[in-house]
Amino acid sequence: MLPTRQQDSTGLEEAYYRLFREFFDKAEKKRRWSIRDDIPWDQVNPNLNPAIADVLETFCTVELYLPDYIEKAWPLLRNSRGRIWFHANWGYEEAKHSMAMGDWLIKSGQRTEEQLREVETQVSQYQWKLPQDSAIGMVLYGMTQELATFLHYRNLRHCVENEPGGDPALSKILKFISVDERAHHNFYLNVAKLYLERDRSGTIEALRRVIHTFQMPAVDMLADSRRRVQAIKELKIFDEDMFFTDVVKALLFELGIEWCEFRQRKPNRRSISAPSLP
């Protein structure tokens, strides 16, 4: 006998929560870090290339939309224990990232507290909106965005370490953040595999929509957004080629999806048949 929709939904929920507990237990054992105690703040380099500080400010500013990221997704997650607790944990870690980057900008002398407060004021004037309107869409967007974000931080760290004298404090911050972002990506990846098992063609169609409309969160809402994006490209932190090679192709490999299968569009299909989360 085939499982009923309710049974399949219950099984998905149970698997989702197990994935969250594995994620959380591993984070508690291996990934937790302290802004105050684990960063060598006495080794901040005040002479680091100002372009690196500009990019870091962009990353820090994007993180300031965290209240929107939490609030807007909450209605999609409210009745799913695994999803809601992961999102809460994710919010805690993203808040830590923002604080660590802000502290470095101030301690390095690249920004003043007043300048960062002005940025916060600018951010508060706009609201970020969900890039997808379904549970599966947000899972696949999160999977894609977290991998792209990992690459941003990893590549920025390479830039820092190639600077004369480097900056051990910023390098350590970026290393911690990169590991966190990769862990977030892996969680979403494992959830995406649950959906693939239940509705392969529908999940691939949803992934296709995510990839074709993908944008990094909130960057286009920032003042001087074009200049900020160009600075990221000029430092070779992230660009369209990297997105295709290191994100899209990497995702398809991790999910076991062949390129020809990904390209097989089904125009008449409007939604996936996998049970959506409440």
Side-chain angles (χ1 to χ4, degrees):
M1 178 183 297
L2 293 175
T4 66
R5 184 180 178 87
Q6 182 177 1
Q7 288 172 333
D8 200 19
S9 181
T10 300
L12 184 62
E13 279 297 313
E14 292 173 349
Y16 216 131
Y17 185 70
R18 285 196 301 271
L19 286 176
F20 165 69
R21 284 306 304 263
E22 291 171 5
F23 167 89
F24 182 80
D25 291 343
K26 188 173 182 179
E28 292 287 282
K29 185 176 181 179
K30 297 183 176 181
R31 283 200 300 109
R32 299 303 185 208
W33 53 279
S34 166
I35 297 175
R36 182 183 298 275
D37 299 327
D38 294 328
I39 309 300
W41 292 113
D42 59 332
Q43 299 181 53
V44 167
N45 180 0
N47 300 313
L48 207 62
N49 182 356
I52 290 177
D54 289 345
V55 169
L56 195 74
E57 182 190 56
T58 297
F59 294 171
C60 187
T61 303
V62 168
E63 298 283 15
L64 292 177
Y65 283 95
L66 181 62
D68 282 349
Y69 303 151
I70 298 293
E71 176 191 358
K72 304 298 183 182
W74 217 252
L76 291 176
L77 317 177
R78 184 66 181 85
N79 296 320
S80 171
R81 183 172 59 154
R83 285 169 60 82
I84 205 71
W85 283 114
F86 170 77
H87 203 55
N89 185 95
W90 174 87
Y92 153 72
E93 293 187 358
E94 295 297 336
K96 187 181 350 181
H97 299 170
S98 180
M99 289 187 286
M101 289 186 287
D103 287 355
W104 182 88
L105 286 167
I106 292 172
K107 291 178 184 296
S108 67
Q110 297 275 6
R111 298 292 187 275
T112 64
E113 290 191 18
E114 290 73 20
Q115 287 173 319
L116 292 186
R117 297 298 84 76
E118 182 179 347
V119 169
E120 289 182 10
T121 299
Q122 293 173 358
V123 165
S124 67
Q125 297 175 8
Y126 304 95
Q127 287 192 33
W128 176 81
K129 297 180 180 179
L130 288 177
Q132 301 290 321
D133 60 1
S134 67
I136 179 61
M138 287 305 298
V139 165
L140 298 174
Y141 176 83
M143 175 187 69
T144 305
Q145 180 261 317
E146 294 290 347
L147 180 57
T149 304
F150 158 76
L151 293 168
H152 278 71
Y153 286 118
R154 185 200 66 182
N155 293 340
L156 181 59
R157 183 182 175 213
H158 291 166
C159 291
V160 172
E161 294 178 346
N162 288 330
E163 283 286 299
D167 188 309
L170 182 55
S171 181
K172 195 68 173 289
I173 291 170
L174 294 173
K175 179 180 179 181
F176 282 139
I177 294 177
S178 297
V179 171
D180 286 350
E181 300 292 358
R182 188 75 193 202
H184 299 165
H185 162 70
N186 287 339
F187 176 81
Y188 282 123
L189 176 71
N190 287 329
V191 174
K193 290 177 179 178
L194 295 178
Y195 280 101
L196 272 174
E197 292 173 358
R198 287 161 172 77
D199 181 358
R200 185 174 183 85
S201 62
T203 301
I204 292 174
E205 176 63 24
L207 177 61
R208 188 181 296 114
R209 290 196 297 270
V210 168
I211 295 299
H212 288 171
T213 61
F214 182 80
Q215 288 184 320
M216 291 297 288
V219 174
D220 61 319
M221 299 169 64
L222 305 180
D224 301 325
S225 59
R226 290 185 179 179
R227 178 188 63 80
R228 292 177 183 273
V229 170
Q230 187 59 34
I232 291 171
K233 291 181 179 180
E234 288 177 354
L235 286 177
K236 300 186 184 303
I237 293 171
F238 199 75
D239 58 26
E240 291 83 358
D241 290 340
M242 292 180 191
F243 177 69
F244 179 72
T245 301
D246 298 331
V247 176
V248 177
K249 292 179 69 174
L251 286 176
L252 296 181
F253 177 78
E254 290 177 319
L255 292 169
I257 301 171
E258 296 291 338
W259 178 250
C260 60
E261 186 181 15
F262 180 71
R263 293 283 294 173
Q264 289 175 357
R265 180 178 295 276
K266 295 186 177 181
N268 294 327
R269 185 171 188 123
R270 296 186 177 181
S271 63
I272 69 169
S273 59
S276 59
L277 297 175

